[in-house]
Amino acid sequence: MDTYDSDSLLADHERRILEICKEHYEDRIHIRYVNAEIDDGSEIAELMKYFKTADPDDTSHGALSERVHFLKCEEKGLKIMCEVTDKFIQAGIKYGIEQGRKQGRKQGRKQGSFVKAREVTTNLARIGMPILARLPL
């Protein structure tokens, strides 16, 4: 999928994004986007193809290929990947629990207000106060 509808491998979309956001950043970071859908035969295009597959048996990218093979095929590498994956999963679970509690508290306060209002109305009705008499006009 070509997100930026660009026919070139390297696209400088920094200005376009800043125009859309209507913001100006003074961080001196220059963002370069690589269109992985374009294959112009360059080294960058080959690297993008490699990133898409990360085939552990593809040795075409030297140290990068060696590291991919290690992480995907060797016992110590697989252990590292499992630990990293577990950290991501645990962080996601923690975030989900926090969001659930936040939403639960919000709903609880809303429901608690309703219950309290019903309780007050019921108590007022017990002492014989008409409902309309309690409403400020």
Side-chain angles (χ1 to χ4, degrees), residues 49-65:
K49 277 198 278 187
Y50 183 79
F51 284 159
K52 284 179 165 182
T53 63
D55 179 0
D57 296 322
D58 178 351
T59 59
S60 64
H61 286 85
L64 175 62
S65 296

Side-chain angles (χ1 to χ4, degrees), residues 71-100:
L71 293 170
K72 288 187 170 189
C73 297
E74 297 179 27
E75 189 174 332
K76 287 182 181 180
L78 290 169
K79 183 179 179 191
I80 291 169
M81 292 301 290
C82 287
E83 289 169 0
V84 169
T85 301
D86 190 52
K87 285 180 184 179
F88 276 111
I89 290 169
Q90 294 306 316
I93 290 170
K94 182 179 177 184
Y95 177 77
I97 289 170
E98 289 170 2
Q99 291 302 307

Side-chain angles (χ1 to χ4, degrees), residues 6-132:
S6 173
D7 292 331
S8 63
L9 177 67
L10 293 174
D12 185 1
H13 292 285
E14 183 178 19
R15 286 193 187 119
R16 188 164 128 192
I17 290 169
L18 291 176
E19 286 170 11
I20 292 168
C21 295
K22 304 261 189 277
E23 293 186 33
H24 181 69
Y25 297 95
E26 293 293 335
D27 57 9
R28 296 193 168 157
I29 294 174
H30 187 81
I31 301 169
R32 266 282 152 117
Y33 294 91
V34 178
N35 185 347
E37 295 299 314
I38 303 296
D39 184 358
D40 63 2
S42 67
E43 286 183 38
I44 293 174
E46 289 301 315
L47 187 59
M48 292 301 100
K49 277 198 278 187
Y50 183 79
F51 284 159
K52 284 179 165 182
T53 63
D55 179 0
D57 296 322
D58 178 351
T59 59
S60 64
H61 286 85
L64 175 62
S65 296
E66 288 174 18
R67 187 68 177 166
V68 168
H69 181 81
F70 170 75
L71 293 170
K72 288 187 170 189
C73 297
E74 297 179 27
E75 189 174 332
K76 287 182 181 180
L78 290 169
K79 183 179 179 191
I80 291 169
M81 292 301 290
C82 287
E83 289 169 0
V84 169
T85 301
D86 190 52
K87 285 180 184 179
F88 276 111
I89 290 169
Q90 294 306 316
I93 290 170
K94 182 179 177 184
Y95 177 77
I97 289 170
E98 289 170 2
Q99 291 302 307
R101 286 182 177 153
K102 187 177 178 181
Q103 188 176 26
R105 283 190 294 272
K106 185 178 177 181
Q107 289 175 347
R109 283 190 291 272
K110 186 177 179 180
Q111 186 175 5
S113 295
F114 177 75
V115 169
K116 187 66 177 172
R118 185 173 44 191
E119 186 179 299
V120 168
T121 303
T122 303
N123 289 338
L124 290 173
R126 280 189 191 138
I127 63 170
M129 184 179 260
I131 294 173
L132 292 176

